[in-house]
Amino acid sequence: MIRGKSQDAHGRLIYDYFKGRPLGVEIVERDDGFVNSGAGGAYLSKYKDWPARERSAIRFAKGRVLDIGCGEGRHSLFLQEKGFDVTGVDISPLAVRVCRARGLKDGRLMSTDDIRPSLGTFDTILMLGNNFGLLSNKIKARVLLRRFLKMMNPKGRIIAESLEIYKRPVDPAHRRYHLMNMRRGRMPGQVRIRIRYRSLATPWFDYLLASKKEMKQILKGTGWRAKLFFSSKGPSYIAIIERE
Amino acid sequence: MIRGKSQDAHGRLIYDYFKGRPLGVEIVERDDGFVNSGAGGAYLSKYKDWPARERSAIRFAKGRVLDIGCGEGRHSLFLQEKGFDVTGVDISPLAVRVCRARGLKDGRLMSTDDIRPSLGTFDTILMLGNNFGLLSNKIKARVLLRRFLKMMNPKGRIIAESLEIYKRPVDPAHRRYHLMNMRRGRMPGQVRIRIRYRSLATPWFDYLLASKKEMKQILKGTGWRAKLFFSSKGPSYIAIIERE
């Protein structure tokens, strides 16, 4: 599911920002009609402007790095400049174009589903910026996590960001959505969303927001275990995940 | 067409802002799928933060004032504090609740279509903040303008804000929309939109963005004439409209 031109809403925002064009607002639309703004210009932020949890977590990167959902490449480029061998993958053609234009040596157009051991062997998998969500749902997450195990060196680790969705105060609209999800057999934070920007809209996709407890449950039996959690302001947190 | 609770997206944003609640982003969705953010917190801005054109134009208010689409009441309240007798009307129940709570003595829940001479006789009609758009389309605009003539004292004036939609650079997406509108027999800037905020969405409605030239054409034969235009930064402008 690589995105066509009219579907690359997220990539187009990044591209406009990169080109210095006036920016529209990036909108995240949920399937219950709830709308909110995306991160917008923050995507191209520099290290010093990252949240404290990201600055701490990225120190755990080592060896060859796979950045899943690399976007405009802010994490990939930071590590590449530090001398790491980095491969960035993203589903958005324009995002990949931007991260390559910004100097990323190995930026690939690829959906998370298509990540295979043929990409090589890695020491670190990076899923910052809520990108644990790209694992979509519990079943797919477990399939992918097991696959990652085969693609990583014995001391490899995953650095993954998600959201403590039950952290109070929980917005009543989100609470209603969690309950609706449970009724339809989905994880509470398995949000079905699409990104809209100007006239563009991505296809609808599942994005998994998991509490720490839920992340642990997902990891169970996959060969992975969360060893450490970072959080700073707000409900976001980052897990350092290593082999059991 | 007074809005129900789940439809009062604009009012809810104003209400949340008024209550000091964390704000979501207000989204303007056009019927071609183009999305953008609304004015958000700017709605409750103070006089000193208004655009220069609004600060200049409001000096033309006199006597009894009818503020159409008064929203949270920033213009109405400013004039009321200056001693004017002000009636504010708005289609949004929560907006009216807020402007009353902020001290507006005469804030009424009413759609623009329902404005009738029974409201009384006025010296000034205010349609700032792009509210000329509330006249919807050329035909309805002319019906309402003729009705306003009967509701106003001989020296009454209309202070109306709109958008010079052809001012360069015209966004190609907007240009495409103008052309599409012309093909379907609408005015180029007759945008069909709805406001979305969190899980709420207003019904779709026509909002008329007219260039100065188009505004003059609409006024022709209604008994009104634009005597003066103000503009500051950007394509917005304000017309001071008086009897021919």
Side-chain angles (χ1 to χ4, degrees):
Chain A
M1 185 190 78
I2 299 301
R3 288 171 190 161
K5 206 177 165 190
S6 70
Q7 297 184 319
D8 195 5
H10 180 63
R12 176 62 191 268
L13 170 88
I14 288 169
Y15 190 73
D16 283 355
Y17 192 88
F18 176 66
K19 287 286 187 182
R21 293 181 186 154
L23 280 190
V25 64
E26 183 187 44
I27 288 156
V28 180
E29 181 179 24
R30 203 168 59 189
D31 64 346
D32 63 338
F34 192 93
V35 282
N36 211 341
S37 57
Y43 293 123
L44 280 93
S45 62
K46 295 203 186 310
Y47 175 79
K48 68 174 179 57
D49 300 317
W50 295 359
R53 63 181 179 280
E54 289 197 5
R55 292 198 307 266
S56 302
I58 205 149
R59 294 170 163 272
F60 284 76
K62 56 177 184 176
R64 189 172 174 217
V65 178
L66 176 63
D67 183 5
I68 299 180
C70 63
E72 73 311 315
R74 68 188 184 283
H75 302 120
S76 283
L77 287 163
F78 173 81
L79 291 174
Q80 184 177 281
E81 277 161 32
K82 296 275 179 207
F84 290 86
D85 179 9
V86 183
T87 298
V89 300
D90 204 286
I91 199 178
S92 154
L94 281 173
V96 171
R97 193 161 146 189
V98 168
C99 70
R100 284 179 188 156
R102 293 176 79 204
L104 187 65
K105 290 175 201 157
D106 190 13
R108 303 193 193 190
L109 185 59
M110 185 180 283
S111 95
T112 309
D113 296 356
D114 293 333
I115 294 171
R116 291 275 179 318
S118 56
L119 264 183
T121 307
F122 295 88
D123 301 287
T124 306
I125 283 182
L126 216 56
M127 290 188 282
L128 290 177
N130 256 338
N131 275 352
F132 186 76
L134 297 178
L135 304 183
S136 303
N137 59 54
K138 190 172 176 176
I139 291 172
K140 200 188 273 189
R142 291 168 61 84
V143 167
L144 287 165
L145 286 162
R146 287 203 177 94
R147 196 185 295 164
F148 295 166
L149 206 64
K150 296 180 201 152
M151 298 172 53
M152 293 183 79
N153 288 319
K155 294 215 169 259
R157 56 168 70 114
I158 299 171
I159 305 174
E161 187 165 358
S162 194
L163 213 69
E164 189 63 64
I165 58 170
Y166 310 113
K167 183 166 178 175
R168 287 162 196 264
V170 179
D171 187 312
H174 298 338
R175 180 70 189 138
R176 277 195 297 277
Y177 190 81
H178 299 162
L179 294 170
M180 183 182 81
N181 257 350
M182 287 165 79
R183 280 196 301 275
R184 50 183 185 172
R186 296 157 60 89
M187 287 188 65
Q190 189 180 330
V191 295
R192 189 152 183 82
I193 57 173
R194 60 175 180 169
I195 308 295
R196 297 178 66 172
Y197 176 68
R198 295 175 50 91
S199 303
L200 313 180
T202 67
W204 291 95
F205 61 98
D206 275 358
Y207 196 65
L208 182 58
L209 306 173
S211 69
K212 296 189 191 86
K213 193 175 163 191
E214 288 168 338
M215 187 188 275
K216 285 180 198 164
Q217 286 164 349
I218 289 169
L219 294 174
K220 207 167 187 176
T222 62
W224 295 104
R225 216 181 82 186
K227 296 280 165 74
L228 195 61
F229 292 107
F230 290 95
S231 45
S232 45
K233 226 177 60 178
S236 290
Y237 71 91
I238 298 172
I240 308 292
I241 300 165
E242 296 181 346
R243 278 173 203 259
E244 281 193 302
Chain B
M1 185 190 79
I2 297 301
R3 288 171 190 159
K5 206 178 165 189
S6 70
Q7 298 184 317
D8 196 5
H10 180 64
R12 176 62 191 268
L13 170 89
I14 287 169
Y15 190 72
D16 283 355
Y17 193 87
F18 176 66
K19 287 285 187 184
R21 292 180 185 155
L23 281 190
V25 64
E26 183 188 43
I27 288 156
V28 180
E29 182 179 22
R30 201 168 59 190
D31 64 346
D32 64 338
F34 192 92
V35 282
N36 212 340
S37 56
Y43 293 124
L44 280 94
S45 62
K46 294 201 189 311
Y47 175 79
K48 67 175 179 60
D49 300 318
W50 296 0
R53 63 180 179 280
E54 289 196 5
R55 293 199 307 267
S56 302
I58 204 148
R59 295 171 162 272
F60 283 75
K62 55 176 184 179
R64 188 169 175 219
V65 178
L66 174 64
D67 183 5
I68 299 180
C70 64
E72 74 309 317
R74 68 187 185 284
H75 302 119
S76 284
L77 287 162
F78 173 81
L79 290 174
Q80 184 177 280
E81 277 160 33
K82 296 276 177 205
F84 290 86
D85 179 9
V86 183
T87 297
V89 300
D90 204 286
I91 198 176
S92 153
L94 280 174
V96 171
R97 193 161 146 190
V98 168
C99 70
R100 285 180 188 154
R102 294 176 79 203
L104 187 65
K105 290 174 200 158
D106 190 13
R108 304 193 191 188
L109 185 59
M110 184 181 283
S111 94
T112 308
D113 297 356
D114 293 333
I115 294 172
R116 291 275 180 313
S118 56
L119 263 181
T121 306
F122 297 87
D123 301 287
T124 306
I125 283 184
L126 215 56
M127 291 188 281
L128 289 177
N130 255 340
N131 276 352
F132 186 77
L134 297 177
L135 304 183
S136 301
N137 60 53
K138 191 173 176 175
I139 291 171
K140 200 187 273 187
R142 291 167 62 84
V143 168
L144 287 165
L145 286 162
R146 287 202 178 93
R147 196 185 294 162
F148 294 166
L149 206 65
K150 296 179 200 152
M151 300 172 53
M152 294 184 78
N153 287 320
K155 294 218 169 257
R157 54 167 70 114
I158 299 172
I159 305 175
E161 187 165 357
S162 194
L163 212 70
E164 188 63 63
I165 57 170
Y166 310 114
K167 185 168 178 174
R168 291 164 192 261
V170 179
D171 188 312
H174 297 338
R175 180 70 192 139
R176 276 194 298 276
Y177 190 81
H178 298 164
L179 293 170
M180 184 183 80
N181 257 350
M182 288 166 78
R183 278 195 302 273
R184 50 184 185 171
R186 295 158 60 87
M187 284 189 66
Q190 188 180 331
V191 295
R192 188 150 185 83
I193 55 173
R194 59 176 181 169
I195 308 295
R196 297 179 66 171
Y197 176 67
R198 295 174 50 89
S199 303
L200 312 180
T202 67
W204 292 94
F205 61 98
D206 276 357
Y207 196 68
L208 182 59
L209 306 172
S211 69
K212 295 189 191 87
K213 192 175 162 191
E214 288 167 340
M215 187 188 275
K216 285 180 196 165
Q217 285 163 350
I218 289 169
L219 294 175
K220 207 167 187 176
T222 62
W224 295 104
R225 216 179 84 186
K227 295 279 165 78
L228 196 60
F229 292 106
F230 290 95
S231 44
S232 46
K233 227 177 61 178
S236 289
Y237 72 91
I238 298 172
I240 308 293
I241 299 166
E242 297 181 345
R243 279 173 202 257
E244 282 192 300

